[in-house]
Amino acid sequence: MTSLFRLRALSLLLIPVALSAQTGGDIPSKIAALEAATKSAQSAGDNAWMLISAALVLMMTGPGLALFYGGLVRRKNVLGTMMHSFILMAVVTVIWAVAGYSLAFGGSSPFVGDLHFALLNNVGSAPNPDYASTIPQQTFMVYQLMFAIITPALISGAFAERMKFSAMLVFTVLWSVIVYDPMAHMVWGKGGLLNASLGGRFPTLDFAGGTVVHVTSGVSALVCALYLGKRVGYPKESMPPHSVVLSFVGACLLWVGWFGFNAGSALAAGSLATSAFVATHFSAAAAAVGWAGVEWMRNGKPSALGAISGAVAGLVAITPASGFVKPMPALAIGLIAGVFCYWMVAKVKARLGYDDSLDAFGVHGAGGTLGALLTGVFAVSAVNPIFKDAQGHTLASGLLEGNAHQLLNQLVGVSIAWVLAIVGTLAILKVVDATIGLRVSEEEEAQGLDLSQHGEEGYYWEASA
C-alpha cells in the first residue's frame, strides 16, 4: 500500500511538468482561464436562480395575493380588490425605477438612501459587490422590486371594500417612498441603521423582510382600518368570503411563490438558499396544522379558510428567520405562529372591535413581529455565520446559541418598524383624506366597488332561455 501511495503521489507531482511541456510553460494563464470560466458558470447559475425567484415573488402578488384577497371579500367587491394587487404591479414599478430603488439601496446613510441610482443610473450588467457579487445589479434591482410591489398590496386587505381607488393609488405612492424605502434601506442598505452585515448600529436579523415587508405593512394596515372606520353594517351584518375556492388557489400560489421570496434572498444558488427553502416549507406546514388544530378544538371542525390562513401565517413568521434557522426551529416557529395568529384574528380583533377586513394585521403585523423576535432566539451561526469578530472568527447569532443581546437588537428593529409605519401611515392618510378623500360614499359601498369604482362586475349571471 505504501509503494502504491508513493507512486500516485509521484504521478501527481509530474502532472504540472507534463502540462508545462504540452502548453509551452503557460500554466498560470490556463489556471486563470479555468478560474474565469468557473466564475462565469457560477454567475450564470446564480443569475438564473435570481431571475426565477423574482418571477416567483411577482407571482405572489398576481395571481397569488389577488386571488387570496379577492376570494375573501363579498362578490360585489372582487374585481376592485383584485385590482389593488394588479395595479400596484405597474405603479410601484414606475416609482422604483424613478427613485425607489435608489432610496432603498443607494448611498450609505443610516436612514435612507440617496439618488445615486435614480432613473436606474449606473444600474446595469455589472454586479454591485456590496449586495450581490455574482449577479448583475439589474437582476438584484428587479428582484428587490418585487418585494416593493407586494408590501403595499398586503395593506389593501385592511381597507378592502371601502377605500376609493384614487385614494388607494395616492396613498400607495406616498407610502412606498415615505415608509417602505427608508425601512428597506435601514435593514438591507449599506450603512443602514439596522443592517446586520453592512455596518448597522443595531444589527437586526431580517433575511427576507419580516420587518421591511410584514411588520410595516401589517401595522400600517391596522392604522388604515382604525382611521377609515368599519364597513357599513360591520359587525352586525354577516360578511363571509364569496369564494373560498379563489382564496384556496391564491394561498397555494403564495406558498409556492414564497420560496422565491425567502430562498431567493440568499442572492445565490447555494446551500443557504436550500436551507431557507426548507425552513420556509416546514414553517408553513406546521402553522397550517397549528391554526387548523386550534380551530378544530374550539369549533369542532377545521375549516379550509383556517388552514390556508395558518399556512400564510407560518410563511410570514419564518420570513425573517428563514436564512438563519435549522429545520426543527422552523417547525417550532410555524407552529407558534399558527396558534398565535389564530388567536389574534379570532379573539383579539373581536374583542377590540376594529374592522381589519382581510386580517392583514392579524396575520402580517402580528406574525411578522413574532417571527422577527423568534429569529433572535433561534438563529444559529451554523446556518449563516453573519457575525464575526475583528479576527474573522464566527460569533454566536441568537439567544439559544449564547447571543442574548441579539434579542434586544430584534426588538429595536421591530420597534422602529412599528413607529415608522404608524407615524408615516397616519400622516399620509390625513393628507390624502384632506385632499381627495379616502372613503367611498355609503351608496357606493352598498353598490360595491366593482361598479362604483370600475364600472364592471366580476360575475355576470345570465338567465337561461
Side-chain angles (χ1 to χ4, degrees):
M1 291 293 293
T2 303
S3 300
L4 181 60
F5 175 79
R6 288 176 179 174
L7 181 60
R8 288 179 176 175
L10 180 62
S11 65
L12 290 174
L13 290 173
L14 291 175
I15 288 176
V17 177
L19 286 174
S20 178
Q22 293 176 6
T23 61
D26 196 21
I27 294 177
S29 64
K30 294 291 185 180
I31 294 176
L34 180 61
E35 290 177 347
T38 302
K39 290 180 179 179
S40 177
Q42 179 185 3
S43 178
D46 290 345
N47 195 45
W49 166 239
M50 292 311 302
L51 291 174
I52 292 171
S53 294
L56 286 171
V57 180
L58 182 62
M59 186 186 74
M60 291 173 64
T61 305
L65 188 66
L67 287 169
F68 186 69
Y69 275 179
L72 294 177
V73 295
R74 289 168 287 180
R75 181 170 62 88
K76 61 185 179 181
N77 296 312
V78 59
L79 282 184
T81 300
M82 296 179 78
M83 185 64 169
H84 290 161
S85 293
F86 182 81
I87 198 64
L88 293 186
M89 293 164 65
V91 172
V92 175
T93 295
V94 175
I95 300 170
W96 194 250
V98 173
Y101 173 68
S102 193
L103 292 174
F105 293 98
S108 57
S109 75
F111 300 105
V112 68
D114 56 23
L115 295 177
H116 180 70
F117 297 129
L119 301 176
L120 301 185
N121 181 48
N122 297 317
V123 180
S125 59
N128 184 335
D130 289 331
Y131 300 114
S133 60
T134 63
I135 61 175
Q137 185 176 188
Q138 196 169 61
T139 299
F140 176 78
M141 178 277 297
V142 80
Y143 176 70
Q144 293 296 338
L145 163 62
M146 305 313 173
F147 287 72
I149 287 172
I150 196 172
T151 306
L154 294 171
I155 303 173
S156 68
F159 54 68
E161 302 193 303
R162 61 195 186 277
M163 183 183 274
K164 292 180 180 178
F165 185 71
S166 58
M168 185 277 298
L169 288 175
V170 177
F171 171 81
T172 297
V173 171
L174 295 175
W175 191 90
S176 295
V177 174
I178 294 172
V179 178
Y180 182 84
D181 292 340
M183 194 66 203
H185 180 80
M186 280 190 279
V187 175
W188 293 330
K190 182 180 180 181
L193 182 69
L194 306 174
N195 193 302
S197 58
L198 294 173
R201 174 67 179 82
F202 300 98
T204 301
L205 298 177
D206 188 353
F207 192 71
T211 54
V212 179
V213 176
H214 299 296
V215 174
T216 58
S217 65
V219 173
S220 296
L222 178 61
V223 175
C224 288
L226 293 173
Y227 188 92
L228 267 73
K230 302 172 184 178
R231 288 167 289 178
V232 175
Y234 181 90
K236 295 180 180 179
E237 294 180 14
S238 177
M239 299 180 182
H242 90 281
S243 176
V244 177
V245 172
L246 290 184
S247 298
F248 199 98
V249 175
C252 292
L253 288 169
L254 284 170
W255 191 329
V256 174
W258 226 289
F259 294 127
F261 201 88
N262 287 357
S265 291
L267 301 176
S271 58
L272 184 58
T274 299
S275 181
F277 193 111
V278 171
T280 299
H281 186 67
F282 280 26
S283 180
V289 171
W291 186 307
V294 173
E295 187 179 47
W296 200 341
M297 288 187 289
R298 182 170 182 260
N299 301 331
K301 296 177 182 179
S303 69
L305 180 57
I308 61 177
S309 297
V312 174
L315 292 164
V316 168
I318 198 60
T319 292
S322 56
F324 301 108
V325 301
K326 292 182 177 181
M328 291 304 104
L331 279 174
I333 290 173
L335 186 62
I336 295 169
V339 175
F340 178 69
C341 291
Y342 170 81
W343 177 72
M344 290 295 298
V345 169
K347 290 289 188 178
V348 174
K349 186 176 79 165
R351 186 169 299 174
L352 298 181
Y354 60 87
D355 184 12
D356 177 5
S357 306
L358 310 182
D359 296 314
F361 173 71
V363 174
H364 296 276
T369 298
L370 175 70
L373 296 177
L374 290 179
T375 300
V377 175
F378 291 111
V380 291
S381 57
V383 173
N384 190 345
I386 194 168
F387 297 131
K388 296 184 179 181
D389 61 18
Q391 288 72 41
H393 301 135
T394 300
L395 301 176
S397 294
L399 174 65
L400 295 183
E401 197 177 32
N403 182 10
H405 187 72
Q406 188 55 38
L407 195 55
L408 177 61
N409 288 335
Q410 299 300 112
L411 182 60
V412 170
V414 167
S415 299
I416 290 175
W418 270 74
V419 171
L420 179 60
I422 292 172
V423 174
T425 302
L426 186 59
I428 295 168
L429 288 172
K430 286 184 174 295
V431 169
V432 177
D433 197 15
T435 52
I436 64 175
L438 286 168
R439 282 195 71 148
V440 298
S441 66
E442 287 192 17
E443 293 77 13
E444 290 174 325
E445 186 174 336
Q447 182 185 35
L449 271 59
D450 289 3
L451 282 172
S452 68
Q453 301 298 297
H454 305 289
E456 54 191 346
E457 294 182 81
Y459 307 99
Y460 290 95
W461 305 109
E462 296 182 3
S464 57

